Amino acid sequence: MTNFKTAAALAACIVMTGCSTNPQTGNFEINRTGVGLTAGAIGGALVGAAVGNGSTAIKGALIGAGVGGGLGYLWDKRYRAMQADLAKTDLQVEAAHIQNGDQVLVVTAPSDVFFRVGSSDIAPEAYPALHKFAQTVKGQGYKIGITGHTDTSGSPDLNDKLSYERARSVAAYLTADGVPYQALYVRGAGSREPKADNNTPANRSINRRVEIVLSAPNTKA
C-alpha cells in the first residue's frame, strides 16, 4: 500500500513538472522528461514491468471483431460510444473477443502516426488523440492492457525493446493524464504478433502499432 501511495504522489508531482495543458490548444501534453519520470515513478509493480499473459493485452487472442459478432448489448453500447468519441482521431476502435470468450474493445494507435521512426517518444501531434482517449476511459473501470508491436525490420532484441518502450510511453501518458495506474498493464510483443504479413511496406506499416485492450474489471486474465 505504501508503494501505491508513493507512486500516486510521484505521479501527481510529475503532472506539475513534466506535463502541462497547452493554453493555445487546450490539449494535455507530456514532454519526454514527463514520460520517463512517470514510467519510472510507477515502475516495477505497475507500468514498469511487462506482464505477459497475466494482462488482458491480447497476445494473439482476438476471436472475431466488429458489431454483430456476438456482442452483448452493453459491449455494443460501449463500442459505439468509443467509436463516436474517437471518430476524429487516428485511433482505431474494434470490438472483439479474447480466447476465454470475454468481450473487449481494442483501440489501435498506428506507430507511424504516434511515434517517430525507431523512437519510443510520443509524437506531439498524437497528444490530442491520447488525451481524448484518456478522457473517454476515466471512471469507466476498465482493465487496460497495452501492447507494443513492430514489423520484422531490425533485430528481435531491438524490436522487443522498442515495442515495450512504446507501450510504456503510452501507459505513462495515460497515467499522467489521470487514468488510474492500477488499471494499466504493459507488454512488448516485438514482431511476433503481426496483423498482416511483412512482405510489403503497407503491411509493415499495419504491423507497427500499439494496441490498447479494454476489458471489464472482472475479466479473467
Side-chain angles (χ1 to χ4, degrees):
M1 182 64 69
T2 299
N3 289 339
F4 284 173
K5 290 181 179 178
T6 300
L10 285 170
C13 178
I14 287 161
V15 169
M16 299 174 62
T17 56
C19 319
S20 63
T21 298
N22 186 319
Q24 295 182 330
T25 65
N27 292 317
F28 179 83
E29 299 181 358
I30 179 169
N31 60 32
R32 184 175 184 178
T33 299
V35 169
L37 289 174
T38 303
I42 57 181
L46 302 169
V47 244
V51 294
N53 289 335
S55 78
T56 53
I58 47 183
K59 195 168 186 180
L62 285 182
I63 303 174
V67 177
L71 288 179
Y73 171 77
L74 177 60
W75 281 95
D76 179 69
K77 184 177 179 180
R78 288 170 172 166
Y79 168 69
R80 293 182 185 278
M82 186 73 66
Q83 270 200 323
D85 287 341
L86 303 181
K88 295 182 179 180
T89 75
D90 289 302
L91 293 168
Q92 303 155 8
V93 185
E94 294 177 275
H97 294 79
I98 54 177
Q99 283 180 333
N100 63 10
D102 287 332
Q103 296 169 333
V104 297
L105 299 180
V106 184
V107 178
T108 301
S111 290
D112 291 357
V113 176
F114 284 76
F115 300 94
R116 302 288 185 247
V117 175
S119 173
S120 61
D121 295 337
I122 297 171
E125 54 267 33
Y127 293 149
L130 289 177
H131 177 59
K132 181 64 177 176
F133 175 76
Q135 300 309 302
T136 299
V137 299
K138 283 181 187 178
Q140 298 300 309
Y142 289 118
K143 287 171 62 178
I144 303 173
I146 304 173
T147 302
H149 300 268
T150 68
D151 62 23
T152 53
S153 303
S155 70
D157 287 346
L158 179 64
N159 287 335
D160 287 346
K161 183 175 185 291
L162 181 61
S163 65
Y164 172 65
E165 288 181 348
R166 285 179 169 177
R168 199 170 81 144
S169 289
V170 170
Y173 179 96
L174 296 178
T175 299
D177 202 3
V179 176
Y181 55 84
Q182 300 95 327
L184 300 175
Y185 302 84
V186 298
R187 57 186 283 268
S191 61
R192 294 182 295 277
E193 299 166 22
K195 294 185 74 172
D197 63 52
N198 284 280
N199 294 339
T200 67
N203 283 358
R204 288 192 291 274
S205 179
I206 291 171
N207 290 332
R208 296 189 295 267
R209 68 202 191 276
V210 173
E211 288 182 336
I212 307 170
V213 178
L214 306 175
S215 62
N218 62 352
T219 293
K220 302 176 285 296

